[in-house]
Amino acid sequence: MRQLQLPVWAKPSFDERFNELAKMAGRLPAVEPLRQKQVELEGQLKQELAPRLYQHLLNWEETLNYRNALEKEWMYLAGIKDGMKCLKGIQDFTSD
């Protein structure tokens, strides 16, 4: 079975929508208390850790966040491809 590929021209539109959804997810009521807790913990770490160690922690967090974003974007695009396959299958089925 041939894998469905997204057209090159479509990727910017899907990327923009992904970014919109990520912003919306960041504003969910359940997320705000977690964001506040993260800010508190970050302040505590900054106070208690040596500057060099704190910088290592920030670099680790940046890498983790970037990896997480890439994984989520991949899943989002996989979901779009799956949806397109389902739609094509339905269209093929109903056109017979």
Side-chain angles (χ1 to χ4, degrees):
M1 179 149 105
R2 190 172 70 96
Q3 184 179 3
L4 184 62
Q5 294 287 22
L6 291 176
V8 174
W9 58 263
K11 187 162 180 357
S13 295
F14 290 126
D15 286 347
E16 184 177 333
R17 180 64 176 150
F18 175 82
N19 290 333
E20 288 173 9
L21 291 171
K23 286 178 189 173
M24 291 168 60
R27 292 190 297 261
L28 291 171
V31 172
E32 182 57 25
L34 294 171
R35 189 193 65 72
Q36 289 176 0
K37 180 69 174 174
Q38 184 179 4
V39 168
E40 290 172 19
L41 291 169
E42 184 178 344
Q44 291 171 5
L45 286 169
K46 189 172 186 175
Q47 288 176 1
E48 295 185 24
L49 294 177
R52 189 170 149 250
L53 188 54
Y54 180 69
Q55 188 58 51
H56 284 306
L57 185 61
L58 290 178
N59 291 339
W60 172 82
E61 181 185 37
E62 180 181 357
T63 302
L64 175 67
N65 289 338
Y66 182 65
R67 189 196 84 212
N68 240 334
L70 289 176
E71 290 170 351
K72 287 177 184 176
E73 183 178 14
W74 183 89
M75 290 189 315
Y76 173 75
L77 290 173
I80 290 170
K81 290 176 185 178
D82 288 348
M84 292 171 72
K85 285 179 193 175
C86 288
L87 182 59
K88 183 174 179 344
I90 291 169
Q91 288 175 336
D92 291 347
F93 178 75
T94 58
S95 67
D96 287 340

